[in-house]
DNA sequence: GGGGAAGTTTACGTTAACGTAAAGCTGTAA
DNA sequence: TTACAGCTTTACGTTAACGTAAACTTCCCC
């Protein structure tokens, strides 16, 4: 009853709607390091999660380098105090950036509401 | 008591912390069209708002082309029904995209909370 | 009237994030 | 056994969003 689930590059590409080229590119950039069976790449559930994080980062406007940083945050390999402090600083920066994005999004949503309303009004005018 | 406020390209560049090259590039791409006094560009308050919208779009991960679309939404020059319907569809798409971003942000915030907590815990362990 | 400081155009350079093509191995279903 | 579906590497091409440099006007100040 062990979950020895693995994925091929094609499966993941289909699931996340990207090309295999893209996934290999992320590997080039050091964002994932799948196992190999011979030549062929074999992805673990953990690799899959990493891909998910990268793509979410993209949706949030992060560069691959930034996403790499973010993903690195989840395993503080920093075994000394200095590393941990640096890590906390980065986390704080991210949080500030996210807050700004939230403000931006709310403002934009408000404007879309207005724009849509104007749309509806204009169409109602055409009715008459 | 009329507000005949105008801005030079340098003023706007300083205010928004971008280069003048950037602002001229946006003009090249048809995102702003400042007036001219001779050769020199003269920006109106409306131009300034447009710039603001572009930069907010950037923070949200929109391309310049997308921001241009978004900005175009605010003045429905579409005087016929078909235009208005197309407009509403675009607005709906934007809204969906924003909702996704919101979900992404909340998830990321949660993870940052966890990561920070692990940081604090690890530092406390070092204290002992 | 000789510098700056700030504006202009023109044009080539750069980085990120892949796309696209070529050429080859590999299992398996007909 | 061949045919193709899916995997591999290598490598050049592409797009967006500017950077950077050169060469030039214009205004203002001392």
């Amino acid at each position: 009853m062990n979950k020895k689930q693995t994925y091929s590059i094609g499966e993941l590409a289909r699931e996340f709607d990207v090309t295999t080229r893209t996934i290999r590119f992320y590997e080039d950039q050091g964002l994932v390091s799948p196992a190999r069976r011979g030549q062929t790449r074999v992805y673990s559930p953990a690799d899959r999660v990493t891909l998910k994080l990268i793509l979410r980062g993209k949706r949030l406007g992060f560069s691959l380098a930034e996403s790499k940083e973010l993903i690195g945050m989840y395993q503080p390999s920093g075994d000394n105090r200095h590393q941990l402090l640096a890590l906390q600083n980065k986390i704080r920066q991210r949080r500030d950036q996210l807050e700004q994005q939230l403000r931006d999004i709310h403002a934009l949503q408000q404007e879309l509401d207005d724009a849509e309303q104007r749309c509806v009004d204009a169409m109602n005018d055409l009715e008459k």
Side-chain angles (χ1 to χ4, degrees), chain A:
Chain A
M1 198 164 172
N2 53 354
K3 286 203 158 201
K4 67 173 199 63
Q5 179 80 307
T6 64
Y7 312 88
S8 78
I9 194 170
E11 282 171 348
L12 292 181
R14 248 166 287 132
E15 174 174 359
F16 294 125
D17 196 32
V18 297
T19 67
T20 60
R21 172 68 175 97
T22 295
I23 297 181
R24 291 197 195 95
F25 178 73
Y26 293 159
E27 184 177 350
D28 261 26
Q29 306 302 305
L31 289 155
V32 274
S33 339
R36 299 275 181 146
R37 192 168 44 196
Q39 284 275 77
T40 307
R41 277 165 254 256
V42 179
Y43 295 85
S44 70
D47 292 328
R48 185 172 160 279
V49 168
T50 298
L51 270 179
K52 230 179 194 168
L53 292 178
I54 297 170
L55 297 176
R56 191 185 65 192
K58 265 192 68 174
R59 289 196 300 270
L60 290 176
F62 294 148
S63 72
L64 290 186
E66 287 173 321
S67 286
K68 191 177 174 181
E69 264 191 27
L70 269 174
I71 292 170
M73 287 184 189
Y74 301 136
Q75 307 98 0
S77 69
D79 34 344
N80 63 50
R81 173 183 238 96
H82 182 269
Q83 291 263 354
L84 288 172
L85 284 173
L87 191 52
Q88 282 190 310
N89 273 329
K90 291 198 174 186
I91 291 176
R92 218 164 296 142
Q93 285 176 31
R94 291 296 174 199
R95 213 188 296 280
D96 290 351
Q97 191 181 337
L98 289 185
E99 303 282 354
Q100 177 61 50
Q101 282 198 358
L102 279 178
R103 284 194 295 275
D104 287 339
I105 287 181
H106 290 322
L108 184 48
Q109 282 181 329
Q110 184 58 53
E111 285 160 25
L112 287 183
D113 287 344
D114 296 353
E116 191 167 31
Q117 191 54 51
R118 285 201 301 277
C119 245
V120 171
D121 292 350
M123 289 193 56
N124 283 340
D125 287 355
L126 287 184
E127 296 285 319
K128 275 307 180 95

